[in-house]
Amino acid sequence: MKKILAGVSMVMLCVLAGCSSQKAAEPVTINVKVSGLSVDINSGKHVNGAPEIIRRAAEAFNKLHAKDKVTCNVEVFQVRDEDKAIKATFDKPNAPDVLFENYFNMSSYIYTGRVVPLDDIITPAMQQDIDEHRWQMSKVNGKTYMMPYYDMQNILAYEKSQMRAAGLDKFVKDDGSLQHWTDAEWEEILSTLAAKKPNGAAPLMMYAKNEQGDTHTMVYLRSKGAKFFDDKGNFHVNTPEGIQALRWLQEGNKKGYFPHECQFLQIKDCMMLNQNKKLTINVYNNAIKSRYPKEQYGYVNFPGHDGKGFASSFLSGFEVFDNKNAAKLKWSKEFIKFIYASDELMDYSAGALPVSKKVVSRFAEKQPELKLFAENSANIINVTGNNPNWRGVRNVFWVPIHEMLEGRLTPEQAAELIDKDCNAAIAEGRKNSKLHE
């Protein structure tokens, strides 16, 4: 009886003293890695660039969860050092738990089997707040492996003074609207600019020295109605529409629609030509809007057979990695949920093109161009097709384009080679890939 009473007394003392049968929470450190993308992202809230956005989110999250002993450790890496920062750290203490980057690069990690689906943290409100096409770009096999945060929409910008000097006044808009030119209008504009060469400028940007120009070329190749990818996600350029678009590039090069010997140029060369007033129509995205003021430039979609044109999208957002640590995985997802539940943290995305409809509406009056690009989202194409070996595709896609512009391949030969080499790269990616369930 004395032993029983002693045991009861000990229990009572533990209750009064706040004892618990559970162990105290172990400290958890979440490795949050963010690419130092060289774009100007300023929402007007004194936050410049993705690294600062993520640092502020981590600071707020750490403060909120101090009692849980959870810490987000933010590491910024440069794009050129990505393999060293991400792949080389797999299975090491500094492996990424959360990654913020451009889908263009980060989508390949999905096929390592380390990136987890995030559908369990997506609420109905989040689902409705983001356009469906952006959700589709975030999915593989119906599961959401990436969380969209902001966009950088690629269209074209034309120098108004050069258009007017060539007598193309009817195509110049001064209201800051986004234009859509038909095939016939594109032909009239490019042939006129090529003939008159205002200020000695080439009409339209094009480059094919290496893989740098591949995404914009892929948009061009859809201009005549090509689907580009088949229903299985394979390249499908070797079609009448694809060959017609390739022929438009080859003949346009001969007609002087593009800079001289564009097959030997890189993107930076076209940027330099444009800055020196030697290129009338150049690629543009909303993250560099300060360089293309609407007083000087007009905006137009890439050519499209339906007259509405196309835009491409460099979507950025989050991934969560499973590093075989349940606590790290749990808090990594909590960190993502925390960001999307915060108006302040979501508002930082207004420096680019927010994926959140609520953010667009909050900034619509101050930044009317956000609505302009948001309304153009229906014309965005998924350049990568969410394939498992995008880097492998990039390594081979540009070669037939380069050789065709040099005159060493016909459009038919180029189309056949693009499908053959790109689909071989995709097949290799599928062979070596796996998805996290």
Side-chain angles (χ1 to χ4, degrees), residues 20-91:
S20 172
S21 62
Q22 296 180 345
K23 289 184 178 180
E26 292 290 331
V28 178
T29 298
I30 306 301
N31 294 322
V32 182
K33 301 198 178 187
V34 53
S35 171
L37 299 172
S38 57
V39 295
D40 178 22
I41 299 173
N42 190 335
S43 65
K45 298 174 75 67
H46 309 293
V47 175
N48 291 295
E52 190 173 352
I53 293 173
I54 304 305
R55 284 195 186 103
R56 291 204 178 192
E59 289 171 4
F61 187 78
N62 291 346
K63 184 177 180 180
L64 179 65
H65 292 287
K67 67 181 188 316
D68 299 308
K69 300 182 181 179
V70 178
T71 303
C72 286
N73 178 47
V74 178
E75 177 187 331
V76 180
F77 65 91
Q78 298 306 312
V79 175
R80 63 179 178 273
D81 299 322
E82 179 167 348
D83 285 345
K84 187 189 303 181
I86 307 299
K87 282 189 175 180
T89 65
F90 285 164
D91 300 320

Side-chain angles (χ1 to χ4, degrees), residues 62-191:
N62 291 346
K63 184 177 180 180
L64 179 65
H65 292 287
K67 67 181 188 316
D68 299 308
K69 300 182 181 179
V70 178
T71 303
C72 286
N73 178 47
V74 178
E75 177 187 331
V76 180
F77 65 91
Q78 298 306 312
V79 175
R80 63 179 178 273
D81 299 322
E82 179 167 348
D83 285 345
K84 187 189 303 181
I86 307 299
K87 282 189 175 180
T89 65
F90 285 164
D91 300 320
K92 296 180 181 179
N94 62 331
D97 296 300
V98 177
L99 173 64
F100 181 89
E101 206 193 352
N102 192 303
Y103 279 22
F104 190 73
N105 293 320
M106 69 193 282
S107 60
S108 63
Y109 302 129
I110 296 171
Y111 301 94
T112 65
R114 297 171 182 267
V115 177
V116 302
L118 298 172
D119 299 275
D120 57 333
I121 67 171
I122 299 172
T123 66
M126 291 166 62
Q127 188 78 41
Q128 294 173 8
D129 189 40
I130 298 174
D131 286 332
E132 181 59 26
H133 83 276
R134 288 183 172 120
W135 284 124
Q136 291 305 317
M137 292 173 71
S138 306
K139 294 181 179 182
V140 174
N141 289 355
K143 294 184 178 180
T144 308
Y145 287 89
M146 298 179 286
M147 282 290 290
Y149 181 71
Y150 63 59
D151 224 335
M152 287 175 281
Q153 192 178 128
N154 293 292
I155 56 170
L156 297 167
Y158 61 84
E159 173 73 54
K160 293 181 181 180
S161 62
Q162 293 180 12
M163 292 279 284
R164 289 187 170 116
L168 296 167
D169 303 65
K170 66 181 180 180
F171 295 108
V172 177
K173 300 291 185 183
D174 289 316
D175 58 3
S177 61
L178 177 54
Q179 297 170 247
H180 317 286
W181 294 333
T182 65
D183 280 356
E185 289 172 332
W186 269 106
E187 188 62 29
E188 179 182 351
I189 290 165
L190 294 176
S191 62

Side-chain angles (χ1 to χ4, degrees), residues 111-113 388-389 425-435:
Y111 301 94
T112 65
N389 188 16
I426 291 174
E428 183 68 18
R430 288 176 178 149
K431 177 182 176 182
N432 298 320
S433 70
K434 59 181 177 179
L435 297 174

Side-chain angles (χ1 to χ4, degrees), residues 187-372:
E187 188 62 29
E188 179 182 351
I189 290 165
L190 294 176
S191 62
T192 302
L193 288 171
K196 299 191 176 180
K197 284 188 168 55
N199 198 40
L204 178 62
M205 70 93 195
M206 180 64 196
Y207 32 86
K209 181 178 180 178
N210 51 35
E211 76 281 0
Q212 285 185 355
D214 55 5
T215 54
H216 306 314
T217 303
M218 290 177 186
V219 182
Y220 282 151
L221 293 191
R222 291 166 165 86
S223 63
K224 305 303 178 183
K227 290 179 62 177
F228 203 80
F229 293 113
D230 64 17
D231 294 338
K232 296 181 179 179
N234 295 313
F235 270 66
H236 195 45
V237 176
N238 193 12
T239 64
E241 297 84 1
I243 292 169
Q244 185 182 0
L246 286 163
R247 184 172 293 110
W248 176 75
L249 286 178
Q250 188 180 62
E251 292 179 354
N253 197 33
K254 293 176 182 177
K255 294 176 181 178
Y257 289 179
F258 310 124
H260 180 62
E261 295 193 329
C262 63
Q263 64 269 28
F264 298 111
L265 299 183
Q266 303 180 70
I267 186 170
K268 65 179 182 180
D269 299 316
C270 282
M271 290 294 181
M272 187 62 68
L273 287 171
N274 184 248
Q275 289 174 17
N276 293 330
K277 310 299 182 185
K278 298 299 181 183
L279 182 61
T280 302
I281 307 172
N282 195 37
V283 67
Y284 162 85
N285 72 51
N286 54 287
I288 55 174
K289 53 183 176 286
S290 60
R291 303 181 201 173
Y292 293 84
K294 64 181 180 181
E295 294 77 19
Q296 187 178 349
Y297 290 89
Y299 311 118
V300 63
N301 270 337
F302 279 80
H305 66 289
D306 59 1
K308 294 180 181 179
F310 294 115
S312 62
S313 171
F314 283 84
L315 198 56
S316 294
F318 298 90
E319 282 181 336
V320 172
F321 290 74
D322 184 355
N323 290 306
K324 307 306 179 185
N325 184 311
K328 287 165 72 74
L329 185 57
K330 170 197 169 184
W331 287 109
S332 295
K333 289 186 176 184
E334 288 296 325
F335 179 59
I336 304 299
K337 287 165 63 177
F338 172 75
I339 290 172
Y340 284 78
S342 166
D343 285 350
E344 180 180 0
L345 295 175
M346 291 302 291
D347 280 352
Y348 292 150
S349 67
L353 179 59
V355 299
S356 167
K357 298 173 186 175
K358 293 178 182 177
V359 176
V360 171
S361 65
R362 286 197 289 268
F363 284 80
E365 189 174 337
K366 295 179 182 178
Q367 298 177 221
E369 69 275 4
L370 293 183
K371 184 179 179 183
L372 180 79

